[in-house]
Amino acid sequence: MLAALLSLAGLPALAWESIHLRASDVHDAGYPTVRGLQSMADRLDLATQGRIHLKIYPGAQLGDERDMLEMTIFGGIDISRTSMGPLNSIVPETGVFSLPFLFRSTEHMRLVLDGPIGDEILAGLEPHGLIGLAYYDAGARNMYNRVRPIHSPADMQGMKIRVMNSRVFVDMISTLGGNATPMGFAQVYESLALGTIDGAENNWPTFESSRHFEVASQYSVTEHVMVPEVVVMSRYRWRKLSAGDQALLREAARDSVPLMRNLWDARVKVSRDAMVAAGTNIVSDIDKQPFMAAMQPLYDRYLQDPALRGLVERIRAVN
Ligand code: GTR
């Protein structure tokens, strides 16, 4: 009604229309990624006096990450926070971030993501129907299982390891001698409990918050990959927003990153301590060399395209 009156008066009605957006995350409400999204929502609320309302659906209520991304592309979900892993099959360049032992440290990863390479990868999502708004942290992923401690790839022979829906991840486990089983995150607990898989791999906070430690007591600090998280918006929905609102969204997403990273750093320590207290058998003195050597063929396989090879070289040169 107000919008109609304003447009009769020749005023920009759209500027007054309230906008309701839905954001999805597989993690629970207290997890750093969800709190990052919440801070985005709070900023939008404040900046627009409630005109832009971002409602968050945590705990995989809107599906697993592959479904979430598909729905986001088709406009059924407005914003998704996912790992970059499930994006690999949609946007090949993102596969580079799933390559093992690519980033030397958290600092290196953050420098790359915050710089021109990070911007390039986010911008490259647009032709695929997604607007890349920000990166969140996910630390390093480690191997865990319910069978035996893993010290070297030899210990993983024949182990059925759940991976994200990403070809790079499937191949990563295969090169180590494991049997990769791609599945959505929400099914992992039950599959471990039933023994349909032997193990999985993930960072400390996810291992703890998903309670996988209850059904997989062997955790090896392999730190084999640091795959970032991403906040993406539906391009379909994005194009319906004014340039001003698009800028507000970008800003709110970007502004949520430092908070998310602080929460992340703190949560890694809390989760690690909680796992020690829970009696998990933690193998922390891992010699990474055999893992690196075994996974080297992945680089040859995935970097046949000179553009991707160049991208990896540029990432390595960042310091
Ligand atoms: C977590 C990540 C989730 C999800 C999960 C998985 O580290 O935060 O977005 O991708 O891993 O393994 O499915």
Side-chain angles (χ1 to χ4, degrees), residues 26-27 65 81 83 141 162 164 185 202-203 206 229:
V26 293
H27 289 299
E65 296 195 333
R81 194 294 309 159
S83 164
R141 295 174 79 99
R162 174 270 172 175
M164 290 190 277
F185 180 60
N202 223 312
N203 52 49
T206 298
E229 317 271 36

Side-chain angles (χ1 to χ4, degrees), residues 68-100:
M68 271 162 57
L69 286 169
E70 275 167 18
M71 286 198 272
T72 309
I73 290 169
F74 292 111
I77 297 176
D78 303 305
I79 292 178
S80 281
R81 194 294 309 159
T82 75
S83 164
M84 291 207 89
L87 258 180
N88 299 167
S89 58
I90 304 171
V91 187
E93 293 75 26
T94 64
V96 163
F97 287 154
S98 293
L99 287 171

Side-chain angles (χ1 to χ4, degrees), residues 56-129:
I56 296 151
Y57 294 80
Q61 287 173 55
L62 304 184
D64 73 25
E65 296 195 333
R66 198 175 48 182
D67 297 342
M68 271 162 57
L69 286 169
E70 275 167 18
M71 286 198 272
T72 309
I73 290 169
F74 292 111
I77 297 176
D78 303 305
I79 292 178
S80 281
R81 194 294 309 159
T82 75
S83 164
M84 291 207 89
L87 258 180
N88 299 167
S89 58
I90 304 171
V91 187
E93 293 75 26
T94 64
V96 163
F97 287 154
S98 293
L99 287 171
F101 302 106
L102 174 72
F103 296 117
R104 294 184 297 274
S105 61
T106 304
E107 293 67 37
H108 179 217
M109 180 190 71
R110 288 177 180 171
L111 269 175
V112 171
L113 299 180
D114 295 346
I117 299 176
D119 289 345
E120 235 171 78
I121 300 275
L122 286 185
L125 306 184
E126 186 158 358
H128 302 273

Side-chain angles (χ1 to χ4, degrees), residues 25 27 31-34 36 81-84 103 105-114 134-141 202-203 205-206 225-231 256-268:
D25 195 307
H27 289 299
Y31 198 86
T33 52
V34 181
R81 194 294 309 159
T82 75
S83 164
M84 291 207 89
F103 296 117
S105 61
T106 304
E107 293 67 37
H108 179 217
M109 180 190 71
R110 288 177 180 171
L111 269 175
V112 171
L113 299 180
D114 295 346
Y135 294 106
Y136 282 171
D137 274 32
R141 295 174 79 99
N202 223 312
N203 52 49
T206 298
V225 68
M226 298 179 87
V227 52
E229 317 271 36
V230 71
V231 181
S256 70
V257 173
L259 169 89
M260 190 279 162
R261 284 182 179 170
N262 286 337
L263 292 170
W264 177 259
D265 291 343
R267 180 62 178 260
V268 170

